[in-house]
Amino acid sequence: MDTKSKEEENTLIQKLLNVSSGGQMDMDLKTENSSNGFSTQINLEKLQKMAAELILLGRFLVRLLNAALVFVTNLLARMLGSKLVRGHFHLMLSALLLFGPVLSLWVPKYSIFANSNNYLYRKFLKSTWGWTCIFSGSFILLLSISARHPRSLLLRHLSRIVVVGLLLCVCHRLLTLLEDASGTCYEPLKGSSVQLLLHEDCTKLSCLRANMVWRGYEVSQDVLIVCLCCLLLVEEMSVFGPYLAQTKMSPGAPLRLIFLLCVVLLSLWMFLLLCLLAHFPKFPAQHLGGALGYLGWRGLYQGWYRLKPSWGCPALPGEGLFTTTDIHKQPQ
């Protein structure tokens, strides 16, 4: 009897121990689950705080960049709209053409810009008019939209770019015909400086492709296009300063940004023109090209564009932004 009672007592104790251990395990699981939920909640709160801080930092940077853009564009617009720059920019460009080749005496011969295959020459100089057309046309379009021009006046403003493009195409064709008609293709003898007359009816392009020598009159078309594009950009951007002075609402960031890009493009064309004159001087071809570019700007912006609309001429830069009196007060 004593043995059986002891066995029953041990069995009861074992059951009680199992029940108590199971309850402890349940409590541990509940505690672990509650601690995991608390940590997850803490992580979400941290992520929300970090996101809010990043948003505030982004807004601050955007405001800072916008303030810098407004300050820089206001300064550049005031400078380009002044009488000193707009009224005498062509004189500065003429001085650069006259005295730029003198720099060839001091520039290093092995500079990166002395290589005609330079990246800037290949990507920008050969497509000068394309870049100018895109940026100046975008500026005219955004400025007209900001000033709420009617569609007819907007098309007249954009037609100025089309007219300059047609003028450049005509000049390119005429100058090519002049060079082909006035020049002659020579084939140099091997091992001698003497040249043989090969074909009188050969064009300049085919002569140079055959690695022969072309002799004749030449006008630098690169200088012509760069000079005309510089004068065009100054004329088109000079109205932004008076527009900012009279408008009640500040223009949006897209208009200011495209204006800044136009200024950068103008600086790039001036730099490339200086590199051409200093590293590849060609007298009088470059001076003739610059003179033709000046005559084109003078005939269009200082001549035809100032006629009345009844003559079918495009509008002057700024027409529709100012009153008639204000337009006549702009520097000539």
Side-chain angles (χ1 to χ4, degrees):
M1 292 293 293
D2 296 334
T3 304
K4 291 182 178 179
S5 61
K6 288 181 179 180
E7 291 178 352
E8 290 176 355
E9 183 178 355
N10 291 332
T11 304
L12 181 60
I13 292 172
Q14 187 68 31
K15 289 181 178 180
L16 290 173
L17 290 173
N18 291 335
V19 171
S20 62
S21 63
Q24 184 67 30
M25 290 176 63
D26 292 340
M27 291 179 64
D28 293 339
L29 289 174
K30 290 179 180 179
T31 305
E32 184 177 358
N33 291 333
S34 62
S35 64
N36 289 337
F38 183 69
S39 62
T40 304
Q41 184 177 3
I42 292 177
N43 291 333
L44 289 176
E45 290 179 355
K46 288 183 178 179
L47 289 176
Q48 290 177 354
K49 290 181 179 179
M50 291 176 61
E53 292 176 355
L54 290 175
I55 290 173
L56 290 176
L57 179 61
R59 290 178 178 176
F60 173 75
L61 290 177
V62 169
R63 291 178 181 177
L64 183 63
L65 291 175
N66 186 61
L69 180 64
V70 171
F71 175 77
V72 172
T73 51
N74 285 345
L75 181 63
L76 292 173
R78 196 176 300 114
M79 182 179 66
L80 289 174
S82 64
K83 293 182 179 181
L84 179 63
V85 175
R86 189 179 181 185
H88 301 88
F89 179 78
H90 62 284
L91 298 178
M92 182 184 68
L93 198 63
S94 301
L96 182 63
L97 283 171
L98 289 175
F99 301 106
V102 181
L103 296 176
S104 61
L105 300 175
W106 293 282
V107 294
K109 296 182 179 180
Y110 300 101
S111 171
I112 187 174
F113 298 106
N115 184 5
S116 59
N117 292 322
N118 185 276
Y119 179 82
L120 286 176
Y121 297 149
R122 289 186 287 106
K123 295 299 181 181
F124 291 98
L125 189 60
K126 300 302 180 183
S127 56
T128 305
W129 173 242
W131 288 105
T132 305
C133 181
I134 292 173
F135 282 94
S136 60
S138 301
F139 175 73
I140 293 172
L141 179 63
L142 292 178
L143 184 63
S144 299
I145 293 175
S146 178
R148 298 180 181 180
H149 281 177
R151 187 173 299 178
S152 58
L153 187 57
L154 170 61
L155 293 177
R156 287 181 59 199
H157 282 299
L158 290 175
S159 65
R160 289 195 303 269
I161 309 299
V162 178
V163 171
V164 176
L166 293 175
L167 177 64
L168 288 175
C169 291
V170 172
C171 288
H172 172 71
R173 184 59 180 169
L174 292 178
L175 291 177
T176 302
L177 292 175
L178 177 63
E179 291 175 357
D180 292 339
S182 61
T184 311
C185 185
Y186 293 90
E187 181 181 8
L189 290 176
K190 294 182 179 179
S192 175
S193 60
V194 182
Q195 297 173 345
L196 289 177
L197 178 62
L198 183 62
H199 292 291
E200 292 186 355
D201 56 346
C202 186
T203 63
K204 179 182 178 181
L205 183 61
S206 60
C207 180
L208 296 178
R209 284 179 177 177
N211 295 324
M212 292 183 286
V213 180
W214 180 265
R215 291 288 182 266
Y217 296 103
E218 184 181 2
V219 176
S220 178
Q221 298 189 32
D222 290 336
V223 174
L224 187 156
I225 296 175
V226 171
C227 289
L228 186 57
C229 288
C230 289
L231 292 167
L232 180 147
L233 286 171
V234 171
E235 285 286 345
E236 297 296 341
M237 294 187 300
S238 61
V239 300
F240 193 55
Y243 173 69
L244 291 177
Q246 75 161 14
T247 185
K248 297 180 180 179
M249 297 181 61
S250 178
L255 178 57
R256 292 183 178 274
L257 183 60
I258 198 66
F259 172 77
L260 183 61
L261 291 175
C262 287
V263 175
V264 173
L265 190 67
L266 174 63
S267 304
L268 179 60
W269 293 160
M270 296 289 292
F271 176 73
L272 289 180
L273 179 62
L274 185 62
C275 289
L276 284 177
L277 296 172
H279 292 285
F280 310 100
K282 293 181 181 179
F283 182 83
Q286 292 175 340
H287 297 81
L288 291 175
L292 288 178
Y294 170 80
L295 290 176
W297 163 79
R298 192 76 179 180
L300 293 178
Y301 283 90
Q302 302 296 320
W304 183 31
Y305 291 172
R306 294 184 178 275
L307 299 178
K308 295 181 179 179
S310 59
W311 289 83
C313 67
L316 273 173
E319 186 172 330
L321 302 177
F322 318 100
T323 61
T324 306
T325 306
D326 293 332
I327 291 177
H328 290 296
K329 286 183 179 180
Q330 295 180 30
Q332 302 294 321

Short mmCIF file of all heavy atoms in Angstrom, two decimals, residues 154-193:
data_model
loop_
_atom_site.label_atom_id
_atom_site.label_comp_id
_atom_site.label_asym_id
_atom_site.label_seq_id
_atom_site.Cartn_x
_atom_site.Cartn_y
_atom_site.Cartn_z
N LEU A 154 2.56 85.42 -80.52
CA LEU A 154 3.54 84.39 -80.20
C LEU A 154 4.20 83.85 -81.48
O LEU A 154 5.43 83.68 -81.54
CB LEU A 154 2.87 83.26 -79.43
CG LEU A 154 3.68 81.97 -79.23
CD1 LEU A 154 4.94 82.26 -78.44
CD2 LEU A 154 2.84 80.92 -78.52
N LEU A 155 3.39 83.61 -82.50
CA LEU A 155 3.95 83.11 -83.76
C LEU A 155 4.85 84.16 -84.41
O LEU A 155 5.86 83.81 -85.04
CB LEU A 155 2.80 82.73 -84.71
CG LEU A 155 1.96 81.53 -84.27
CD1 LEU A 155 0.82 81.29 -85.24
CD2 LEU A 155 2.82 80.28 -84.13
N ARG A 156 4.50 85.43 -84.29
CA ARG A 156 5.36 86.49 -84.84
C ARG A 156 6.70 86.54 -84.13
O ARG A 156 7.75 86.73 -84.76
CB ARG A 156 4.66 87.84 -84.74
CG ARG A 156 3.51 88.03 -85.73
CD ARG A 156 2.89 89.39 -85.56
NE ARG A 156 3.88 90.46 -85.77
CZ ARG A 156 3.74 91.70 -85.34
NH1 ARG A 156 2.65 92.03 -84.64
NH2 ARG A 156 4.65 92.59 -85.58
N HIS A 157 6.69 86.34 -82.81
CA HIS A 157 7.95 86.32 -82.06
C HIS A 157 8.80 85.13 -82.48
O HIS A 157 10.02 85.26 -82.65
CB HIS A 157 7.67 86.27 -80.56
CG HIS A 157 7.28 87.60 -79.98
ND1 HIS A 157 8.10 88.69 -80.01
CD2 HIS A 157 6.15 88.00 -79.34
CE1 HIS A 157 7.51 89.72 -79.41
NE2 HIS A 157 6.32 89.32 -79.01
N LEU A 158 8.20 83.97 -82.61
CA LEU A 158 8.96 82.79 -83.00
C LEU A 158 9.44 82.88 -84.45
O LEU A 158 10.44 82.24 -84.81
CB LEU A 158 8.09 81.54 -82.82
CG LEU A 158 7.79 81.13 -81.37
CD1 LEU A 158 6.84 79.94 -81.35
CD2 LEU A 158 9.08 80.79 -80.62
N SER A 159 8.75 83.66 -85.27
CA SER A 159 9.17 83.77 -86.68
C SER A 159 10.53 84.46 -86.82
O SER A 159 11.19 84.31 -87.85
CB SER A 159 8.11 84.53 -87.48
OG SER A 159 8.00 85.88 -87.04
N ARG A 160 10.95 85.22 -85.80
CA ARG A 160 12.29 85.82 -85.86
C ARG A 160 13.36 84.75 -85.95
O ARG A 160 14.35 84.91 -86.69
CB ARG A 160 12.54 86.70 -84.62
CG ARG A 160 11.74 87.96 -84.56
CD ARG A 160 12.32 88.92 -83.52
NE ARG A 160 12.36 88.30 -82.21
CZ ARG A 160 11.38 88.39 -81.31
NH1 ARG A 160 10.27 89.05 -81.60
NH2 ARG A 160 11.50 87.83 -80.12
N ILE A 161 13.20 83.67 -85.21
CA ILE A 161 14.17 82.58 -85.24
C ILE A 161 14.16 81.91 -86.61
O ILE A 161 15.21 81.53 -87.15
CB ILE A 161 13.86 81.57 -84.13
CG1 ILE A 161 13.72 82.28 -82.78
CG2 ILE A 161 14.93 80.51 -84.05
CD1 ILE A 161 14.96 83.01 -82.34
N VAL A 162 12.97 81.76 -87.20
CA VAL A 162 12.87 81.13 -88.52
C VAL A 162 13.57 81.99 -89.57
O VAL A 162 14.28 81.47 -90.45
CB VAL A 162 11.39 80.91 -88.88
CG1 VAL A 162 11.26 80.31 -90.27
CG2 VAL A 162 10.72 80.00 -87.85
N VAL A 163 13.39 83.31 -89.49
CA VAL A 163 14.02 84.21 -90.46
C VAL A 163 15.53 84.13 -90.37
O VAL A 163 16.24 84.06 -91.40
CB VAL A 163 13.53 85.65 -90.23
CG1 VAL A 163 14.33 86.63 -91.09
CG2 VAL A 163 12.05 85.77 -90.56
N VAL A 164 16.08 84.11 -89.16
CA VAL A 164 17.54 84.01 -89.00
C VAL A 164 18.04 82.67 -89.53
O VAL A 164 19.10 82.59 -90.16
CB VAL A 164 17.93 84.20 -87.53
CG1 VAL A 164 19.42 84.00 -87.34
CG2 VAL A 164 17.53 85.59 -87.05
N GLY A 165 17.27 81.60 -89.29
CA GLY A 165 17.67 80.30 -89.83
C GLY A 165 17.69 80.28 -91.35
O GLY A 165 18.62 79.73 -91.96
N LEU A 166 16.70 80.90 -91.97
CA LEU A 166 16.69 80.99 -93.44
C LEU A 166 17.85 81.82 -93.95
O LEU A 166 18.47 81.49 -94.98
CB LEU A 166 15.36 81.57 -93.91
CG LEU A 166 14.12 80.71 -93.69
CD1 LEU A 166 12.85 81.47 -94.10
CD2 LEU A 166 14.22 79.40 -94.46
N LEU A 167 18.17 82.91 -93.25
CA LEU A 167 19.30 83.74 -93.65
C LEU A 167 20.61 82.97 -93.60
O LEU A 167 21.44 83.07 -94.51
CB LEU A 167 19.38 84.97 -92.74
CG LEU A 167 20.56 85.91 -92.97
CD1 LEU A 167 20.49 86.54 -94.36
CD2 LEU A 167 20.61 86.99 -91.89
N LEU A 168 20.79 82.16 -92.56
CA LEU A 168 22.01 81.36 -92.45
C LEU A 168 22.09 80.31 -93.55
O LEU A 168 23.18 80.05 -94.09
CB LEU A 168 22.08 80.69 -91.07
CG LEU A 168 22.37 81.61 -89.89
CD1 LEU A 168 22.29 80.86 -88.58
CD2 LEU A 168 23.74 82.25 -90.04
N CYS A 169 20.96 79.71 -93.91
CA CYS A 169 20.96 78.73 -95.01
C CYS A 169 21.34 79.38 -96.33
O CYS A 169 22.13 78.82 -97.12
CB CYS A 169 19.59 78.07 -95.10
SG CYS A 169 19.19 76.97 -93.73
N VAL A 170 20.79 80.56 -96.59
CA VAL A 170 21.12 81.28 -97.83
C VAL A 170 22.58 81.67 -97.86
O VAL A 170 23.28 81.52 -98.89
CB VAL A 170 20.20 82.51 -97.98
CG1 VAL A 170 20.65 83.37 -99.15
CG2 VAL A 170 18.76 82.08 -98.17
N CYS A 171 23.10 82.18 -96.72
CA CYS A 171 24.51 82.57 -96.67
C CYS A 171 25.42 81.36 -96.88
O CYS A 171 26.44 81.46 -97.58
CB CYS A 171 24.82 83.22 -95.32
SG CYS A 171 24.13 84.89 -95.13
N HIS A 172 25.07 80.24 -96.29
CA HIS A 172 25.88 79.04 -96.45
C HIS A 172 25.93 78.60 -97.91
O HIS A 172 27.00 78.27 -98.44
CB HIS A 172 25.32 77.91 -95.58
CG HIS A 172 25.96 76.58 -95.81
ND1 HIS A 172 27.25 76.29 -95.42
CD2 HIS A 172 25.48 75.46 -96.43
CE1 HIS A 172 27.55 75.06 -95.77
NE2 HIS A 172 26.50 74.52 -96.38
N ARG A 173 24.78 78.64 -98.56
CA ARG A 173 24.73 78.23 -99.97
C ARG A 173 25.52 79.19 -100.85
O ARG A 173 26.31 78.76 -101.73
CB ARG A 173 23.27 78.15 -100.43
CG ARG A 173 23.09 77.65 -101.85
CD ARG A 173 23.67 76.27 -102.01
NE ARG A 173 23.48 75.78 -103.37
CZ ARG A 173 24.08 74.69 -103.85
NH1 ARG A 173 24.89 73.97 -103.06
NH2 ARG A 173 23.88 74.31 -105.09
N LEU A 174 25.34 80.47 -100.66
CA LEU A 174 26.04 81.46 -101.49
C LEU A 174 27.55 81.42 -101.26
O LEU A 174 28.33 81.52 -102.22
CB LEU A 174 25.49 82.86 -101.21
CG LEU A 174 24.05 83.13 -101.66
CD1 LEU A 174 23.63 84.54 -101.26
CD2 LEU A 174 23.91 82.94 -103.17
N LEU A 175 27.97 81.30 -100.02
CA LEU A 175 29.40 81.26 -99.74
C LEU A 175 30.05 79.99 -100.29
O LEU A 175 31.19 80.01 -100.75
CB LEU A 175 29.64 81.36 -98.23
CG LEU A 175 29.31 82.71 -97.59
CD1 LEU A 175 29.51 82.66 -96.09
CD2 LEU A 175 30.16 83.82 -98.20
N THR A 176 29.31 78.89 -100.25
CA THR A 176 29.84 77.65 -100.83
C THR A 176 30.01 77.79 -102.33
O THR A 176 31.04 77.36 -102.91
CB THR A 176 28.91 76.48 -100.50
OG1 THR A 176 28.78 76.35 -99.07
CG2 THR A 176 29.46 75.17 -101.05
N LEU A 177 29.03 78.39 -103.00
CA LEU A 177 29.14 78.61 -104.45
C LEU A 177 30.29 79.56 -104.77
O LEU A 177 31.03 79.36 -105.75
CB LEU A 177 27.82 79.17 -104.99
CG LEU A 177 26.63 78.21 -104.97
CD1 LEU A 177 25.36 78.94 -105.43
CD2 LEU A 177 26.90 77.00 -105.86
N LEU A 178 30.48 80.60 -103.95
CA LEU A 178 31.57 81.55 -104.16
C LEU A 178 32.93 80.88 -104.01
O LEU A 178 33.84 81.10 -104.83
CB LEU A 178 31.43 82.73 -103.19
CG LEU A 178 32.54 83.78 -103.25
CD1 LEU A 178 32.56 84.46 -104.61
CD2 LEU A 178 32.36 84.81 -102.14
N GLU A 179 33.08 80.06 -102.99
CA GLU A 179 34.35 79.37 -102.79
C GLU A 179 34.64 78.38 -103.91
O GLU A 179 35.79 78.27 -104.38
CB GLU A 179 34.32 78.64 -101.44
CG GLU A 179 34.33 79.57 -100.24
CD GLU A 179 34.18 78.82 -98.94
OE1 GLU A 179 34.02 77.57 -98.99
OE2 GLU A 179 34.22 79.45 -97.87
N ASP A 180 33.62 77.66 -104.38
CA ASP A 180 33.84 76.71 -105.47
C ASP A 180 34.17 77.42 -106.78
O ASP A 180 34.96 76.91 -107.60
CB ASP A 180 32.59 75.83 -105.66
CG ASP A 180 32.36 74.90 -104.48
OD1 ASP A 180 33.34 74.63 -103.74
OD2 ASP A 180 31.22 74.44 -104.29
N ALA A 181 33.58 78.61 -106.98
CA ALA A 181 33.82 79.33 -108.24
C ALA A 181 35.15 80.05 -108.25
O ALA A 181 35.76 80.22 -109.33
CB ALA A 181 32.69 80.34 -108.48
N SER A 182 35.65 80.47 -107.09
CA SER A 182 36.87 81.27 -107.06
C SER A 182 38.12 80.46 -106.73
O SER A 182 39.24 80.98 -106.84
CB SER A 182 36.73 82.40 -106.02
OG SER A 182 36.53 81.85 -104.73
N GLY A 183 37.97 79.22 -106.33
CA GLY A 183 39.12 78.43 -105.91
C GLY A 183 39.53 77.39 -106.94
O GLY A 183 38.84 77.13 -107.93
N THR A 184 40.69 76.79 -106.69
CA THR A 184 41.24 75.77 -107.57
C THR A 184 41.84 74.66 -106.72
O THR A 184 42.42 74.92 -105.66
CB THR A 184 42.34 76.36 -108.48
OG1 THR A 184 41.86 77.55 -109.09
CG2 THR A 184 42.74 75.36 -109.56
N CYS A 185 41.73 73.43 -107.21
CA CYS A 185 42.21 72.26 -106.49
C CYS A 185 43.59 71.86 -107.04
O CYS A 185 43.77 71.73 -108.26
CB CYS A 185 41.23 71.10 -106.63
SG CYS A 185 41.66 69.65 -105.66
N TYR A 186 44.55 71.68 -106.16
CA TYR A 186 45.90 71.30 -106.53
C TYR A 186 46.27 69.96 -105.88
O TYR A 186 45.85 69.67 -104.76
CB TYR A 186 46.92 72.35 -106.07
CG TYR A 186 46.80 73.67 -106.77
CD1 TYR A 186 45.98 74.68 -106.26
CD2 TYR A 186 47.49 73.93 -107.94
CE1 TYR A 186 45.86 75.90 -106.88
CE2 TYR A 186 47.39 75.16 -108.58
CZ TYR A 186 46.57 76.14 -108.05
OH TYR A 186 46.45 77.35 -108.68
N GLU A 187 47.05 69.20 -106.61
CA GLU A 187 47.58 67.95 -106.07
C GLU A 187 49.08 68.12 -105.85
O GLU A 187 49.83 68.33 -106.80
CB GLU A 187 47.34 66.80 -107.03
CG GLU A 187 47.84 65.47 -106.49
CD GLU A 187 47.60 64.33 -107.46
OE1 GLU A 187 47.18 64.61 -108.60
OE2 GLU A 187 47.85 63.17 -107.07
N PRO A 188 49.56 68.04 -104.62
CA PRO A 188 50.99 68.23 -104.36
C PRO A 188 51.81 67.03 -104.83
O PRO A 188 51.36 65.89 -104.75
CB PRO A 188 51.05 68.39 -102.84
CG PRO A 188 49.85 67.67 -102.34
CD PRO A 188 48.78 67.84 -103.39
N LEU A 189 52.99 67.31 -105.36
CA LEU A 189 53.91 66.24 -105.76
C LEU A 189 54.55 65.61 -104.53
O LEU A 189 54.81 66.28 -103.53
CB LEU A 189 55.01 66.81 -106.67
CG LEU A 189 54.58 67.25 -108.07
CD1 LEU A 189 55.77 67.88 -108.78
CD2 LEU A 189 54.06 66.07 -108.87
N LYS A 190 54.80 64.33 -104.60
CA LYS A 190 55.41 63.62 -103.50
C LYS A 190 56.88 64.04 -103.36
O LYS A 190 57.63 64.01 -104.31
CB LYS A 190 55.32 62.12 -103.72
CG LYS A 190 53.89 61.60 -103.69
CD LYS A 190 53.85 60.09 -103.86
CE LYS A 190 52.41 59.57 -103.82
NZ LYS A 190 52.37 58.09 -104.01
N GLY A 191 57.23 64.41 -102.13
CA GLY A 191 58.61 64.79 -101.86
C GLY A 191 59.01 66.14 -102.41
O GLY A 191 60.19 66.44 -102.54
N SER A 192 58.02 66.98 -102.79
CA SER A 192 58.33 68.29 -103.35
C SER A 192 57.26 69.28 -102.91
O SER A 192 56.12 68.91 -102.63
CB SER A 192 58.41 68.24 -104.87
OG SER A 192 58.60 69.54 -105.41
N SER A 193 57.64 70.53 -102.85
CA SER A 193 56.69 71.58 -102.50
C SER A 193 55.94 72.11 -103.71
O SER A 193 55.06 72.96 -103.58
CB SER A 193 57.41 72.74 -101.81
OG SER A 193 58.40 73.29 -102.67
#
